[in-house]
Amino acid sequence: MLRLIHTADWHLGQSFHGQERHAEHRAFLAWLLDTLEQRRADVLLVAGDVFDVVNPSLQAQTLLYDFIVSAHERLPRLDLVMIAGNHDSGNRIELPAPLMRRLRTHALGRVSWLDDGRLDAERLLVPLTDEAGMTRAWCLALPFLRPAEVTGNAIAAPDGEAGSDYVTGISRVHAQLIDAARQRREPDQALVAMSHAHLQGAAVSEASERPIVIGGEESISAALFPPEIAYVALGHLHRAQQVGEARIRYSGSPLPLDFSEVAYPHQVLDVTLDGNALAAVDAIPVPRPVAMHRLGPAPLEKVLSELEALESDPELPQARGRELSKARGRELSRERWPWLEVCVELEAPIPDLRARVDAALAGKALRMLRLERRLPRVEGEEAPARVDLETLGPRRLFELTWQQRWGEPPDAAVLADFDRLRQDVLDDAATDTGEARP
């Protein structure tokens, strides 16, 4: 038997409407340490988006490295395998890899290619051992594949194909890695694939997931994972779910990363392998260290009534925060106050709306992060065209700009050049020191 804990999408260092969430992440990691020990886990899989940005703050990095050290101290035989996601810098994830290997932690951030054009698959195959130190499985640890790594590149298409299609490139990488794993495994050793990707048919979140490419072009088929793969540990989608089969799973994010994720079942997965087969998958709910409330959309009077009825944790009264003499004490007191989003439907603008909402919140240990006003649409008036740059993504924005300037879409070679240039910019940003850029 081999026991794995599958988690993903920690997004350490996330700025939530301008507010830090270090206290929540610290509480989750402490809970995860206890869970690993209680469940006597052999392996921890972290399927990407470890950080929220490619250049995370020092506090976010400290959270990760303190966790890794503590996990090794409490569970010296634990194998920890971590891959980069689309929010991460692959170079940053791999930078301390030699040191982390001494703590039985394997950090994979980028794929690389051999001189003959084949995937360097050996560095992506991680042995998973049981309590006695016997290799019971192999992890196919595949970090997020950026378009520049798998498209428009002759070295990524050794069979002479054009090699400019993103999904085709991803499929080729998976096939080469699985083939290498088949050759490496011994009888009764299981294969466990870990990937940060968007699988076709999986349910996405309302607002918080950054598109990997655009328009669904990045979606890959679950058929890439043949039946001999005992378990597929996925990251990227924040909603916990299985895709088609019980062996193919998104663990989901351990904390809600947007108000749209309030009702999600946030969890980690306890996976048991028996020989080379999947024996069981058990969802372990993650306690929510800070509550999150979403009120509305509703008329103002109803919202005000709900705000007044909203209970405040008696252990976190506002008065206590005011009475603490030190500024840091007040800050620590507020770290556990619930987050709040309010959406009000209006018939006409109300100049003192914010003041009325604040009055309803007086004396409550709550942090309102967002107040949305919804006015009725005038009959016959067309809704203004809105462009969400975060959703659009830099690649699609470049395509639209090119088309507008030259009257035709960019060809595959131009897009490949853009992908490589963007990756160079991301890598340069990841080498900077200090706080994350806004």
Side-chain angles (χ1 to χ4, degrees), residues 9-12 46-56 60-61 64-65 68 80-101 105-111 123-124 141-144 146 194 196 423 426-427 429-431:
D9 296 281
W10 293 358
H11 289 268
L12 301 178
V46 186
D49 280 357
V50 180
F51 297 115
D52 191 59
V53 293
V54 297
N55 191 24
Q61 294 178 70
L64 174 64
Y65 300 129
I68 291 172
L80 197 161
V81 188
M82 176 173 63
I83 59 173
N86 61 301
H87 280 247
D88 298 311
S89 160
N91 289 340
R92 180 179 292 280
I93 291 293
E94 287 196 353
L95 184 63
L99 177 61
M100 288 196 288
R101 278 196 292 271
T105 296
H106 305 266
L108 288 308
R110 301 285 295 275
V111 297
R123 67 184 296 271
L124 303 177
L142 191 60
F144 167 64
R146 290 180 166 81
M194 180 162 60
H196 191 88
Q423 185 58 49
L426 291 172
D427 290 344
T431 60

Short mmCIF file of all heavy atoms in Angstrom, two decimals, residues 9-12 46-56 60-61 64-65 68 80-101 105-111 123-124 141-144 146 194 196 423 426-427 429-431:
data_model
loop_
_atom_site.label_atom_id
_atom_site.label_comp_id
_atom_site.label_asym_id
_atom_site.label_seq_id
_atom_site.Cartn_x
_atom_site.Cartn_y
_atom_site.Cartn_z
N ASP A 9 -2.97 24.33 -6.22
CA ASP A 9 -3.51 25.69 -6.28
C ASP A 9 -3.54 26.38 -4.92
O ASP A 9 -4.56 26.91 -4.49
CB ASP A 9 -4.91 25.68 -6.91
CG ASP A 9 -4.87 25.22 -8.36
OD1 ASP A 9 -4.51 26.04 -9.22
OD2 ASP A 9 -5.17 24.04 -8.62
N TRP A 10 -2.37 26.38 -4.26
CA TRP A 10 -2.26 27.08 -2.98
C TRP A 10 -2.31 28.59 -3.18
O TRP A 10 -2.84 29.30 -2.34
CB TRP A 10 -0.96 26.69 -2.28
CG TRP A 10 -0.90 25.26 -1.83
CD1 TRP A 10 -1.86 24.31 -1.95
CD2 TRP A 10 0.22 24.62 -1.19
NE1 TRP A 10 -1.44 23.12 -1.42
CE2 TRP A 10 -0.15 23.28 -0.95
CE3 TRP A 10 1.48 25.05 -0.80
CZ2 TRP A 10 0.70 22.38 -0.33
CZ3 TRP A 10 2.34 24.15 -0.20
CH2 TRP A 10 1.95 22.83 0.05
N HIS A 11 -1.70 29.08 -4.22
CA HIS A 11 -1.66 30.53 -4.51
C HIS A 11 -1.13 31.33 -3.32
O HIS A 11 -1.72 32.35 -2.93
CB HIS A 11 -3.04 31.03 -4.94
CG HIS A 11 -3.47 30.54 -6.31
ND1 HIS A 11 -3.22 31.26 -7.46
CD2 HIS A 11 -4.07 29.39 -6.71
CE1 HIS A 11 -3.67 30.58 -8.51
NE2 HIS A 11 -4.19 29.44 -8.08
N LEU A 12 -0.03 30.86 -2.77
CA LEU A 12 0.58 31.58 -1.66
C LEU A 12 0.94 32.99 -2.09
O LEU A 12 1.48 33.20 -3.18
CB LEU A 12 1.85 30.85 -1.19
CG LEU A 12 1.68 29.41 -0.70
CD1 LEU A 12 3.03 28.82 -0.32
CD2 LEU A 12 0.71 29.34 0.48
N VAL A 46 1.81 18.25 -4.93
CA VAL A 46 1.33 19.63 -5.06
C VAL A 46 1.31 19.95 -6.56
O VAL A 46 2.36 20.18 -7.17
CB VAL A 46 2.23 20.62 -4.30
CG1 VAL A 46 1.60 22.02 -4.34
CG2 VAL A 46 2.43 20.18 -2.86
N ALA A 47 0.11 19.99 -7.13
CA ALA A 47 -0.03 20.02 -8.59
C ALA A 47 -0.10 21.44 -9.16
O ALA A 47 -0.99 21.78 -9.94
CB ALA A 47 -1.26 19.22 -9.01
N GLY A 48 0.85 22.28 -8.77
CA GLY A 48 1.01 23.57 -9.43
C GLY A 48 0.28 24.73 -8.81
O GLY A 48 -0.56 24.58 -7.92
N ASP A 49 0.62 25.94 -9.31
CA ASP A 49 0.17 27.20 -8.75
C ASP A 49 0.46 27.24 -7.24
O ASP A 49 -0.42 27.52 -6.42
CB ASP A 49 -1.31 27.46 -9.04
CG ASP A 49 -1.54 27.98 -10.45
OD1 ASP A 49 -0.54 28.20 -11.17
OD2 ASP A 49 -2.70 28.17 -10.85
N VAL A 50 1.71 26.95 -6.93
CA VAL A 50 2.16 27.04 -5.53
C VAL A 50 2.07 28.48 -5.08
O VAL A 50 1.58 28.79 -3.99
CB VAL A 50 3.60 26.52 -5.41
CG1 VAL A 50 4.07 26.59 -3.96
CG2 VAL A 50 3.70 25.09 -5.93
N PHE A 51 2.55 29.40 -5.91
CA PHE A 51 2.46 30.83 -5.64
C PHE A 51 1.39 31.46 -6.52
O PHE A 51 0.95 30.87 -7.51
CB PHE A 51 3.81 31.51 -5.91
CG PHE A 51 4.94 31.03 -5.02
CD1 PHE A 51 6.02 30.36 -5.55
CD2 PHE A 51 4.91 31.27 -3.66
CE1 PHE A 51 7.07 29.93 -4.75
CE2 PHE A 51 5.94 30.83 -2.83
CZ PHE A 51 7.03 30.16 -3.38
N ASP A 52 1.01 32.69 -6.18
CA ASP A 52 -0.02 33.38 -6.94
C ASP A 52 0.57 34.17 -8.10
O ASP A 52 -0.12 34.43 -9.09
CB ASP A 52 -0.82 34.32 -6.03
CG ASP A 52 -2.06 34.85 -6.71
OD1 ASP A 52 -2.92 34.02 -7.11
OD2 ASP A 52 -2.18 36.08 -6.88
N VAL A 53 1.84 34.57 -7.98
CA VAL A 53 2.49 35.35 -9.03
C VAL A 53 3.88 34.80 -9.26
O VAL A 53 4.45 34.11 -8.40
CB VAL A 53 2.57 36.86 -8.65
CG1 VAL A 53 1.18 37.49 -8.62
CG2 VAL A 53 3.27 37.05 -7.31
N VAL A 54 4.48 35.14 -10.43
CA VAL A 54 5.80 34.59 -10.75
C VAL A 54 6.89 35.17 -9.85
O VAL A 54 7.95 34.56 -9.68
CB VAL A 54 6.15 34.85 -12.23
CG1 VAL A 54 5.18 34.15 -13.15
CG2 VAL A 54 6.18 36.35 -12.55
N ASN A 55 6.64 36.32 -9.27
CA ASN A 55 7.62 36.95 -8.38
C ASN A 55 7.00 37.13 -7.00
O ASN A 55 6.64 38.24 -6.60
CB ASN A 55 8.06 38.30 -8.97
CG ASN A 55 9.27 38.87 -8.25
OD1 ASN A 55 10.04 38.14 -7.65
ND2 ASN A 55 9.41 40.18 -8.32
N PRO A 56 6.84 36.05 -6.24
CA PRO A 56 6.12 36.12 -4.96
C PRO A 56 6.89 36.89 -3.91
O PRO A 56 8.12 37.02 -3.98
CB PRO A 56 5.97 34.65 -4.57
CG PRO A 56 7.12 33.97 -5.23
CD PRO A 56 7.33 34.69 -6.53
N ALA A 60 5.54 34.99 1.24
CA ALA A 60 4.96 33.83 0.58
C ALA A 60 6.00 32.72 0.44
O ALA A 60 5.71 31.54 0.67
CB ALA A 60 4.40 34.22 -0.78
N GLN A 61 7.22 33.09 0.06
CA GLN A 61 8.27 32.09 -0.09
C GLN A 61 8.63 31.48 1.27
O GLN A 61 8.88 30.27 1.37
CB GLN A 61 9.50 32.73 -0.71
CG GLN A 61 9.27 33.17 -2.15
CD GLN A 61 10.49 33.84 -2.75
OE1 GLN A 61 11.49 33.17 -3.02
NE2 GLN A 61 10.43 35.15 -2.94
N LEU A 64 6.26 28.68 2.20
CA LEU A 64 6.52 27.42 1.51
C LEU A 64 7.72 26.70 2.10
O LEU A 64 7.63 25.50 2.44
CB LEU A 64 6.78 27.68 0.01
CG LEU A 64 7.21 26.44 -0.79
CD1 LEU A 64 6.09 25.40 -0.81
CD2 LEU A 64 7.61 26.83 -2.20
N TYR A 65 8.83 27.41 2.26
CA TYR A 65 10.05 26.72 2.69
C TYR A 65 9.98 26.30 4.16
O TYR A 65 10.52 25.25 4.53
CB TYR A 65 11.27 27.59 2.40
CG TYR A 65 11.39 27.91 0.92
CD1 TYR A 65 11.56 29.21 0.46
CD2 TYR A 65 11.28 26.88 -0.02
CE1 TYR A 65 11.65 29.48 -0.90
CE2 TYR A 65 11.36 27.15 -1.38
CZ TYR A 65 11.54 28.45 -1.81
OH TYR A 65 11.61 28.71 -3.16
N ILE A 68 8.07 23.02 4.04
CA ILE A 68 8.88 21.89 3.56
C ILE A 68 9.80 21.38 4.66
O ILE A 68 9.92 20.17 4.89
CB ILE A 68 9.68 22.31 2.31
CG1 ILE A 68 8.72 22.53 1.12
CG2 ILE A 68 10.72 21.25 1.95
CD1 ILE A 68 9.38 23.11 -0.11
N LEU A 80 7.89 14.53 -1.16
CA LEU A 80 7.09 15.69 -1.56
C LEU A 80 7.45 16.02 -3.01
O LEU A 80 8.61 16.26 -3.33
CB LEU A 80 7.37 16.88 -0.64
CG LEU A 80 6.37 18.04 -0.64
CD1 LEU A 80 6.54 18.89 0.62
CD2 LEU A 80 6.50 18.92 -1.87
N VAL A 81 6.44 16.01 -3.88
CA VAL A 81 6.65 16.32 -5.30
C VAL A 81 5.79 17.53 -5.65
O VAL A 81 4.59 17.55 -5.42
CB VAL A 81 6.28 15.13 -6.20
CG1 VAL A 81 6.71 15.43 -7.65
CG2 VAL A 81 6.91 13.83 -5.70
N MET A 82 6.45 18.53 -6.24
CA MET A 82 5.80 19.82 -6.49
C MET A 82 6.12 20.26 -7.92
O MET A 82 7.27 20.17 -8.36
CB MET A 82 6.34 20.83 -5.48
CG MET A 82 5.87 22.25 -5.63
SD MET A 82 6.46 23.26 -4.23
CE MET A 82 8.25 23.15 -4.47
N ILE A 83 5.09 20.68 -8.66
CA ILE A 83 5.32 21.18 -10.02
C ILE A 83 4.87 22.63 -10.11
O ILE A 83 4.06 23.11 -9.30
CB ILE A 83 4.56 20.33 -11.07
CG1 ILE A 83 3.05 20.34 -10.79
CG2 ILE A 83 5.11 18.92 -11.14
CD1 ILE A 83 2.23 19.66 -11.89
N ALA A 84 5.40 23.33 -11.10
CA ALA A 84 5.00 24.71 -11.35
C ALA A 84 3.69 24.74 -12.11
O ALA A 84 3.42 23.89 -12.97
CB ALA A 84 6.09 25.43 -12.14
N GLY A 85 2.85 25.73 -11.80
CA GLY A 85 1.62 25.97 -12.54
C GLY A 85 1.76 27.20 -13.42
O GLY A 85 2.84 27.80 -13.51
N ASN A 86 0.67 27.61 -14.05
CA ASN A 86 0.75 28.77 -14.94
C ASN A 86 0.94 30.07 -14.18
O ASN A 86 1.38 31.07 -14.75
CB ASN A 86 -0.49 28.85 -15.83
CG ASN A 86 -1.78 29.00 -15.05
OD1 ASN A 86 -2.11 28.16 -14.21
ND2 ASN A 86 -2.53 30.05 -15.31
N HIS A 87 0.65 30.11 -12.88
CA HIS A 87 0.91 31.31 -12.07
C HIS A 87 2.36 31.36 -11.60
O HIS A 87 2.82 32.40 -11.15
CB HIS A 87 -0.01 31.36 -10.85
CG HIS A 87 -1.39 31.85 -11.14
ND1 HIS A 87 -1.89 33.04 -10.65
CD2 HIS A 87 -2.39 31.32 -11.89
CE1 HIS A 87 -3.13 33.22 -11.07
NE2 HIS A 87 -3.46 32.18 -11.82
N ASP A 88 3.05 30.24 -11.64
CA ASP A 88 4.40 30.15 -11.09
C ASP A 88 5.45 30.46 -12.15
O ASP A 88 5.21 30.34 -13.35
CB ASP A 88 4.67 28.73 -10.56
CG ASP A 88 3.75 28.33 -9.43
OD1 ASP A 88 3.61 29.13 -8.49
OD2 ASP A 88 3.17 27.23 -9.49
N SER A 89 6.62 30.82 -11.68
CA SER A 89 7.81 30.83 -12.53
C SER A 89 8.48 29.47 -12.40
O SER A 89 8.87 29.07 -11.30
CB SER A 89 8.78 31.94 -12.09
OG SER A 89 10.08 31.67 -12.57
N GLY A 90 8.62 28.77 -13.52
CA GLY A 90 9.29 27.47 -13.47
C GLY A 90 10.71 27.58 -12.96
O GLY A 90 11.17 26.73 -12.18
N ASN A 91 11.41 28.63 -13.35
CA ASN A 91 12.79 28.82 -12.89
C ASN A 91 12.85 29.04 -11.38
O ASN A 91 13.73 28.51 -10.70
CB ASN A 91 13.43 30.01 -13.61
CG ASN A 91 13.73 29.71 -15.07
OD1 ASN A 91 13.81 28.55 -15.45
ND2 ASN A 91 13.88 30.74 -15.88
N ARG A 92 11.91 29.81 -10.86
CA ARG A 92 11.92 30.07 -9.41
C ARG A 92 11.61 28.79 -8.64
O ARG A 92 12.21 28.53 -7.60
CB ARG A 92 10.91 31.16 -9.05
CG ARG A 92 10.87 31.48 -7.56
CD ARG A 92 9.88 32.58 -7.24
NE ARG A 92 10.31 33.85 -7.77
CZ ARG A 92 11.22 34.63 -7.19
NH1 ARG A 92 11.81 34.25 -6.09
NH2 ARG A 92 11.53 35.79 -7.73
N ILE A 93 10.65 28.02 -9.13
CA ILE A 93 10.30 26.77 -8.45
C ILE A 93 11.51 25.84 -8.38
O ILE A 93 11.76 25.16 -7.37
CB ILE A 93 9.12 26.08 -9.16
CG1 ILE A 93 7.82 26.88 -8.97
CG2 ILE A 93 8.94 24.64 -8.67
CD1 ILE A 93 7.30 26.92 -7.55
N GLU A 94 12.29 25.81 -9.47
CA GLU A 94 13.43 24.89 -9.52
C GLU A 94 14.70 25.43 -8.87
O GLU A 94 15.62 24.65 -8.59
CB GLU A 94 13.74 24.53 -10.98
CG GLU A 94 12.72 23.59 -11.60
CD GLU A 94 13.24 22.95 -12.88
OE1 GLU A 94 14.34 23.34 -13.34
OE2 GLU A 94 12.55 22.07 -13.42
N LEU A 95 14.77 26.72 -8.64
CA LEU A 95 16.01 27.33 -8.16
C LEU A 95 16.59 26.63 -6.93
O LEU A 95 17.78 26.30 -6.90
CB LEU A 95 15.80 28.82 -7.88
CG LEU A 95 17.03 29.61 -7.46
CD1 LEU A 95 18.07 29.61 -8.58
CD2 LEU A 95 16.65 31.05 -7.10
N PRO A 96 15.79 26.36 -5.87
CA PRO A 96 16.36 25.68 -4.69
C PRO A 96 16.27 24.16 -4.76
O PRO A 96 16.41 23.48 -3.74
CB PRO A 96 15.50 26.22 -3.55
CG PRO A 96 14.16 26.44 -4.17
CD PRO A 96 14.40 26.77 -5.61
N ALA A 97 16.03 23.60 -5.96
CA ALA A 97 15.80 22.16 -6.09
C ALA A 97 16.92 21.30 -5.50
O ALA A 97 16.65 20.31 -4.80
CB ALA A 97 15.55 21.79 -7.55
N PRO A 98 18.20 21.61 -5.75
CA PRO A 98 19.26 20.77 -5.16
C PRO A 98 19.20 20.71 -3.64
O PRO A 98 19.43 19.65 -3.04
CB PRO A 98 20.55 21.44 -5.65
CG PRO A 98 20.14 22.16 -6.91
CD PRO A 98 18.76 22.65 -6.63
N LEU A 99 18.89 21.83 -3.02
CA LEU A 99 18.78 21.84 -1.56
C LEU A 99 17.54 21.08 -1.10
O LEU A 99 17.59 20.31 -0.14
CB LEU A 99 18.72 23.29 -1.06
CG LEU A 99 18.53 23.50 0.45
CD1 LEU A 99 19.68 22.86 1.23
CD2 LEU A 99 18.42 24.98 0.77
N MET A 100 16.43 21.28 -1.80
CA MET A 100 15.19 20.63 -1.40
C MET A 100 15.26 19.12 -1.53
O MET A 100 14.58 18.40 -0.79
CB MET A 100 14.01 21.21 -2.19
CG MET A 100 13.64 22.63 -1.77
SD MET A 100 12.01 23.15 -2.36
CE MET A 100 12.33 23.34 -4.09
N ARG A 101 16.04 18.63 -2.48
CA ARG A 101 16.15 17.18 -2.62
C ARG A 101 16.72 16.54 -1.36
O ARG A 101 16.43 15.37 -1.07
CB ARG A 101 17.01 16.83 -3.83
CG ARG A 101 16.24 16.87 -5.15
CD ARG A 101 16.98 16.16 -6.26
NE ARG A 101 18.21 16.87 -6.64
CZ ARG A 101 18.27 17.81 -7.57
NH1 ARG A 101 17.17 18.18 -8.21
NH2 ARG A 101 19.42 18.38 -7.87
N THR A 105 12.28 16.50 -1.21
CA THR A 105 11.33 17.32 -1.96
C THR A 105 11.83 17.48 -3.39
O THR A 105 12.98 17.87 -3.61
CB THR A 105 11.16 18.70 -1.30
OG1 THR A 105 10.58 18.53 0.00
CG2 THR A 105 10.27 19.60 -2.13
N HIS A 106 10.95 17.18 -4.35
CA HIS A 106 11.31 17.26 -5.76
C HIS A 106 10.49 18.39 -6.38
O HIS A 106 9.26 18.34 -6.41
CB HIS A 106 11.02 15.94 -6.46
CG HIS A 106 11.69 14.77 -5.82
ND1 HIS A 106 12.91 14.28 -6.23
CD2 HIS A 106 11.30 13.99 -4.76
CE1 HIS A 106 13.26 13.27 -5.47
NE2 HIS A 106 12.30 13.06 -4.58
N ALA A 107 11.18 19.41 -6.88
CA ALA A 107 10.52 20.58 -7.46
C ALA A 107 10.80 20.63 -8.95
O ALA A 107 11.95 20.77 -9.38
CB ALA A 107 11.02 21.86 -6.78
N LEU A 108 9.76 20.51 -9.77
CA LEU A 108 9.89 20.51 -11.22
C LEU A 108 9.17 21.72 -11.79
O LEU A 108 7.96 21.87 -11.59
CB LEU A 108 9.30 19.23 -11.83
CG LEU A 108 10.05 17.89 -11.64
CD1 LEU A 108 11.51 18.02 -12.07
CD2 LEU A 108 9.94 17.36 -10.24
N GLY A 109 9.93 22.58 -12.48
CA GLY A 109 9.34 23.81 -12.99
C GLY A 109 9.27 23.91 -14.49
O GLY A 109 8.40 24.60 -15.03
N ARG A 110 10.20 23.25 -15.20
CA ARG A 110 10.25 23.36 -16.65
C ARG A 110 10.57 22.01 -17.28
O ARG A 110 11.18 21.15 -16.63
CB ARG A 110 11.36 24.36 -17.07
CG ARG A 110 11.20 25.77 -16.52
CD ARG A 110 10.11 26.52 -17.25
NE ARG A 110 10.45 26.74 -18.64
CZ ARG A 110 11.19 27.75 -19.10
NH1 ARG A 110 11.71 28.62 -18.25
NH2 ARG A 110 11.42 27.89 -20.39
N VAL A 111 10.17 21.83 -18.52
CA VAL A 111 10.62 20.67 -19.28
C VAL A 111 11.87 21.06 -20.05
O VAL A 111 12.10 22.24 -20.34
CB VAL A 111 9.54 20.15 -20.25
CG1 VAL A 111 8.32 19.68 -19.47
CG2 VAL A 111 9.15 21.21 -21.27
N ARG A 123 14.32 13.31 -15.86
CA ARG A 123 14.28 14.27 -14.76
C ARG A 123 12.86 14.51 -14.27
O ARG A 123 12.65 15.09 -13.20
CB ARG A 123 14.94 15.58 -15.16
CG ARG A 123 14.19 16.35 -16.24
CD ARG A 123 14.96 17.60 -16.66
NE ARG A 123 15.09 18.54 -15.57
CZ ARG A 123 14.20 19.50 -15.30
NH1 ARG A 123 13.10 19.60 -16.03
NH2 ARG A 123 14.40 20.34 -14.31
N LEU A 124 11.85 14.08 -15.03
CA LEU A 124 10.45 14.26 -14.65
C LEU A 124 9.86 13.02 -14.00
O LEU A 124 8.69 13.03 -13.62
CB LEU A 124 9.62 14.64 -15.88
CG LEU A 124 10.06 15.88 -16.67
CD1 LEU A 124 9.18 16.06 -17.89
CD2 LEU A 124 10.01 17.13 -15.78
N ALA A 141 5.91 13.76 -13.17
CA ALA A 141 5.71 15.13 -12.69
C ALA A 141 5.87 16.10 -13.85
O ALA A 141 6.99 16.46 -14.22
CB ALA A 141 6.70 15.44 -11.57
N LEU A 142 4.76 16.54 -14.42
CA LEU A 142 4.79 17.37 -15.61
C LEU A 142 4.34 18.79 -15.28
O LEU A 142 3.15 19.05 -15.09
CB LEU A 142 3.89 16.78 -16.69
CG LEU A 142 4.01 17.37 -18.08
CD1 LEU A 142 5.42 17.20 -18.62
CD2 LEU A 142 3.01 16.72 -19.02
N PRO A 143 5.27 19.75 -15.18
CA PRO A 143 4.89 21.12 -14.88
C PRO A 143 4.08 21.73 -16.02
O PRO A 143 4.01 21.17 -17.13
CB PRO A 143 6.23 21.84 -14.72
CG PRO A 143 7.20 21.02 -15.48
CD PRO A 143 6.73 19.59 -15.38
N PHE A 144 3.47 22.86 -15.75
CA PHE A 144 2.69 23.56 -16.77
C PHE A 144 3.54 23.82 -18.00
O PHE A 144 4.67 24.31 -17.91
CB PHE A 144 2.15 24.88 -16.21
CG PHE A 144 1.59 25.79 -17.27
CD1 PHE A 144 0.49 25.41 -18.00
CD2 PHE A 144 2.19 27.01 -17.54
CE1 PHE A 144 -0.03 26.23 -18.99
CE2 PHE A 144 1.69 27.84 -18.52
CZ PHE A 144 0.58 27.45 -19.25
N ARG A 146 4.18 25.89 -21.21
CA ARG A 146 3.90 27.15 -21.90
C ARG A 146 4.03 26.95 -23.40
O ARG A 146 4.82 26.13 -23.86
CB ARG A 146 4.83 28.25 -21.40
CG ARG A 146 4.51 28.67 -19.98
CD ARG A 146 5.42 29.76 -19.45
NE ARG A 146 4.85 30.34 -18.25
CZ ARG A 146 4.96 29.80 -17.04
NH1 ARG A 146 5.62 28.66 -16.89
NH2 ARG A 146 4.41 30.38 -15.99
N MET A 194 1.07 13.62 -12.64
CA MET A 194 0.69 14.90 -12.05
C MET A 194 0.89 15.98 -13.09
O MET A 194 1.96 16.11 -13.69
CB MET A 194 1.52 15.20 -10.79
CG MET A 194 1.13 16.54 -10.16
SD MET A 194 1.67 16.74 -8.44
CE MET A 194 3.45 16.60 -8.62
N HIS A 196 -0.51 20.14 -14.54
CA HIS A 196 -1.25 21.39 -14.32
C HIS A 196 -1.82 21.80 -15.67
O HIS A 196 -1.11 22.33 -16.52
CB HIS A 196 -0.31 22.47 -13.77
CG HIS A 196 -1.03 23.69 -13.28
ND1 HIS A 196 -1.48 23.81 -11.98
CD2 HIS A 196 -1.39 24.84 -13.90
CE1 HIS A 196 -2.07 24.98 -11.83
NE2 HIS A 196 -2.04 25.63 -12.98
N GLN A 423 7.74 34.55 -22.47
CA GLN A 423 8.37 33.69 -21.48
C GLN A 423 9.67 34.31 -20.97
O GLN A 423 9.99 34.24 -19.78
CB GLN A 423 8.66 32.31 -22.08
CG GLN A 423 9.20 31.32 -21.07
CD GLN A 423 8.25 31.11 -19.91
OE1 GLN A 423 7.06 30.89 -20.12
NE2 GLN A 423 8.75 31.20 -18.69
N LEU A 426 8.72 36.91 -18.41
CA LEU A 426 8.32 36.29 -17.15
C LEU A 426 9.52 35.76 -16.38
O LEU A 426 9.61 35.91 -15.16
CB LEU A 426 7.33 35.15 -17.41
CG LEU A 426 5.94 35.54 -17.92
CD1 LEU A 426 5.15 34.31 -18.32
CD2 LEU A 426 5.19 36.34 -16.86
N ASP A 427 10.46 35.15 -17.10
CA ASP A 427 11.65 34.62 -16.43
C ASP A 427 12.52 35.73 -15.86
O ASP A 427 13.06 35.61 -14.77
CB ASP A 427 12.47 33.78 -17.41
CG ASP A 427 11.77 32.48 -17.77
OD1 ASP A 427 10.84 32.10 -17.05
OD2 ASP A 427 12.15 31.86 -18.78
N ALA A 429 11.42 38.62 -14.81
CA ALA A 429 10.72 39.13 -13.63
C ALA A 429 10.92 38.21 -12.43
O ALA A 429 11.04 38.65 -11.29
CB ALA A 429 9.22 39.28 -13.92
N ALA A 430 10.99 36.91 -12.70
CA ALA A 430 11.13 35.94 -11.61
C ALA A 430 12.50 35.97 -10.97
O ALA A 430 12.67 35.50 -9.85
CB ALA A 430 10.84 34.53 -12.13
N THR A 431 13.49 36.54 -11.66
CA THR A 431 14.83 36.58 -11.09
C THR A 431 15.04 37.80 -10.21
O THR A 431 16.06 37.92 -9.52
CB THR A 431 15.90 36.60 -12.20
OG1 THR A 431 15.71 37.75 -13.04
CG2 THR A 431 15.80 35.34 -13.05
#
